[in-house]
Amino acid sequence: MQLERLLQKHGFGTRKGCRALIRNERVAVNGEICDDPYADIDTDQLVFSVDGTEWPYAEFATLILNKPSGYECSRRPQHHLGVLELLPPPLRVRGVQPIGRLDEDTTGLLLITDDGQLNHVLSSGKRKVPKVYLATVKHPLDAAQVEQLLAGVLLNDEPEPIAAAAAEIVDPLHLRLTLTEGKYHQVKRMLAAVGNRVEALHRESIGSLTLPDDLKPGEWRWLSAVDLEKLVKSA
Ligand code: URA
């Protein structure tokens, strides 16, 4: 692929802007400065760098983010910063979007991609991809609440009761809940339906993918090809 096109595909601006970056010797290919915008680059295992920052060649950008509290997942955030602000500009220019949404005050695992098909597969309710949440609740949990959550609770605007796929009391004020839908405020509404209240919410995993312990709030990383394949299989 032509170097100029490659940079543009990875979010480094217009063709003209990318050409200028290359001509100004700000771009290296596998460690060597390349100043020819039309050089034909082998994309297999390619790592290029712009101003010293390395980027893998990626047909699609799929990332995991440890979402901190205080960020919105919506396309046009209104009251807080958007989660995409946590990413470097080239990724935003590529048009990445969160897969599903977490509330502004929810923390934890958020997948972000510019792969529309992957987004569709993972967010489609039909696939029933399990998502595990750790909820901190206001009132001590009891077995009756867990039974109700597992049996199904009726939420406003939902025709049928919705059941948790799993619910485990971690300690009196912490519940680990597995859901296979992605309804609006689902955990909060389900806990409210059994007479409790969510005080804090954290997503630990989606399908086969668990938030890595060493990914701090606000940090992101590329999803490895192996993890991506496992995730898609688990969906
Ligand atoms: N359920 C909620 O209530 N909020 C979230 O952010 C995710 C699931």
Side-chain angles (χ1 to χ4, degrees):
M1 181 182 295
Q2 260 185 8
L3 185 55
E4 174 187 296
R5 207 179 103 52
L6 189 147
L7 281 197
Q8 189 192 25
K9 175 178 164 54
H10 285 76
F12 288 90
T14 59
R15 288 285 273 248
K16 195 170 163 202
C18 293
R19 201 176 313 144
L21 281 176
I22 298 163
R23 290 226 161 104
N24 290 329
E25 303 190 353
R26 292 166 62 186
V27 179
V29 176
N30 294 326
E32 299 272 321
I33 295 284
C34 178
D35 64 1
D36 176 5
Y38 308 110
D40 186 18
I41 308 296
D42 179 0
T43 58
D44 190 33
Q45 310 283 323
L46 169 66
V47 176
F48 64 94
S49 67
V50 179
D51 293 334
T53 301
E54 289 198 337
W55 295 86
Y57 174 84
E59 182 63 26
F60 292 109
T62 301
L63 320 166
I64 46 177
L65 172 77
N66 185 351
K67 180 191 172 296
S69 180
Y71 284 81
E72 287 183 31
C73 288
S74 54
R75 274 171 195 257
R76 283 180 199 79
Q78 302 207 320
H79 306 292
H80 300 86
L81 287 174
V83 281
L84 301 181
E85 302 285 331
L86 294 162
L87 304 177
L91 289 172
R92 299 207 297 267
V93 172
R94 282 188 73 145
V96 295
Q97 291 296 331
I99 301 184
R101 288 186 183 183
L102 292 177
D103 296 336
E104 170 271 317
D105 55 354
T106 300
T107 59
L109 179 57
L110 185 67
L111 283 164
I112 296 179
T113 191
D114 61 355
D115 182 343
Q117 206 181 344
L118 179 72
N119 198 329
H120 178 71
V121 165
L122 293 178
S123 48
S124 154
K126 284 189 203 135
R127 303 274 176 157
K128 299 210 169 294
V129 183
K131 295 163 199 93
V132 180
Y133 295 88
L134 185 64
T136 308
V137 294
K138 181 164 184 176
H139 309 293
L141 294 151
D142 59 39
Q145 289 177 1
V146 170
E147 267 169 39
Q148 272 180 280
L149 290 166
L150 291 171
V153 292
L154 204 50
L155 303 178
N156 278 349
D157 301 335
E158 292 300 331
E160 305 276 334
I162 300 203
E168 171 208 351
I169 297 179
V170 178
D171 65 43
L173 293 181
H174 289 96
L175 180 73
R176 183 165 284 115
L177 196 65
T178 306
L179 303 181
T180 54
E181 307 81 7
K183 309 228 176 260
Y184 183 64
H185 290 335
Q186 188 173 342
V187 176
K188 292 173 184 164
R189 290 159 72 211
M190 288 180 76
L191 265 299
V194 300
N196 212 319
R197 186 188 158 91
V198 173
E199 301 270 270
L201 188 59
H202 180 78
R203 184 155 66 189
E204 297 181 327
S205 66
I206 300 175
S208 60
L209 189 69
T210 298
L211 186 67
D213 285 340
D214 60 347
L215 195 65
K216 302 284 169 272
E219 289 182 353
W220 66 274
R221 69 176 57 144
W222 294 86
L223 184 65
S224 71
V226 173
D227 283 345
L228 177 60
E229 198 184 323
K230 273 199 245 164
L231 180 65
V232 170
K233 274 197 189 136
S234 73

